[in-house]
Structure formats: C-alpha cells, structure tokens
Amino acid sequence: LNVSGNTSLKEHLSVGEAATVRETLSVGDATIMSSTLSVGKSVTASETLSVGGNSTLTGALAVVGATTLSNTLNISGNTFLHEHLSVGESARVRETLSVGDATVMSSTLSVGEAVTASETLSVGGNSTLSGALAVVGATTLSNTLNISGNTTLHEHLSVGESARIQE
C-alpha cells in the first residue's frame, strides 16, 4: 500500500509488522504501547512525564529546574554538590565527614566519642568540663585562676611577684 497526500482513517489502524514513518507522527489523543518504546534520538516532553514503574537512565541526567523527590534518594557513587546544602531535619553520616573550609554551627554540638583538634581550639564563651582535664604541654592562663577544691602540685611552684596563702 502506497499512500501520498493527506489520509484520514475513521476506524482503527492495525499494522501486523514493523511500520516506518519518515516524517512527523502526530497523535491527537492518548496512546497506549504494550511493549518497548525505542527512540533513536532525543525526546522532548512538553508537559509532565509520568513513569509508572522503575526507570533506568544509562547516561547523565541533567535537571534544569527545581526538583522534588518525595521518597528516599539512594546514591551509590560519589556525590558532588557545587553550591549550598540545606537539610530540613537531622542528617546522619555513617563514616568520615570532611569539611574543607570554615564551619558555622548555630546550636549545640554533641559529640559521642573523643575529639581531636589538630590546631588551636578557640572558645568564645564560658566552658564547662565535667571530667578530668589533662594538659600535656605548657599552659598559659592569662587571667585569674579560681580553684574551689583541693590543689596538689607534684613539682615546684614558682611565683613571679607576690603570693598570698589563706587558711
């Protein structure tokens, strides 16, 4: 069958084997495909794309606008965020968290195990240590030292100016 020019079919069209459309195929209503759809080049969807089952993308996925994910996001490879990350509730990191620049925390920092600071630790306000404080190197206190319990010095005591001992 060779048809040229505009053709209109008023009933169903059934093709038993492969069909080739050499130019644009325009479908004015819903289309149902009961097998695989294979497209050789890019696809443009002018409105919402709805997929009822799982989807597999074998190339890169580029999303230009805002994206909403309504369930779990599972990423199995490295992830790079080139700008801000905002987490609305809690975040859990199973292994090492590495931060390459300054970090600002606006509330309490709670650490469940030991903390190691490789450089200077600076605390802007008062500090309370509820356990023993062990200082291994030299220590400089630049203001008044108040001790409310017993004090034991295991080595020499050197006082630069005056000392007052009260009982």
Side-chain angles (χ1 to χ4, degrees):
L1 173 66
N2 187 356
V3 179
S4 62
N6 292 338
T7 303
S8 177
L9 300 174
K10 296 199 185 272
E11 296 292 326
H12 300 285
L13 171 64
S14 177
V15 178
E17 296 201 16
T20 301
V21 177
R22 297 198 192 285
E23 292 193 25
T24 304
L25 172 63
S26 177
V27 179
D29 213 343
T31 302
I32 299 171
M33 297 185 184
S34 48
S35 187
T36 303
L37 171 64
S38 177
V39 179
K41 292 189 178 184
S42 64
V43 174
T44 301
S46 298
E47 292 194 24
T48 303
L49 173 63
S50 178
V51 178
N54 295 336
S55 299
T56 300
L57 303 173
T58 56
L61 172 64
V63 178
V64 177
T67 303
T68 301
L69 301 173
S70 299
N71 207 319
T72 303
L73 173 63
N74 187 345
I75 300 172
S76 61
N78 293 334
T79 303
F80 298 96
L81 301 174
H82 295 283
E83 298 213 13
H84 305 284
L85 171 64
S86 177
V87 179
E89 292 185 23
S90 63
R92 181 177 177 203
V93 178
R94 283 193 195 170
E95 292 187 23
T96 303
L97 172 64
S98 177
V99 179
D101 208 342
T103 303
V104 176
M105 295 188 183
S106 300
S107 188
T108 303
L109 171 64
S110 176
V111 180
E113 293 187 24
V115 175
T116 301
S118 299
E119 296 284 331
T120 303
L121 174 63
S122 177
V123 178
N126 295 336
S127 299
T128 301
L129 302 174
S130 57
L133 173 63
V135 179
V136 176
T139 303
T140 302
L141 301 173
S142 299
N143 207 322
T144 303
L145 173 63
N146 290 318
I147 301 172
S148 61
N150 295 332
T151 302
T152 303
L153 300 174
H154 292 285
E155 296 288 331
H156 305 283
L157 172 63
S158 175
V159 177
E161 290 186 21
S162 62
R164 188 174 88 189
I165 299 176
Q166 289 180 319
E167 202 172 314

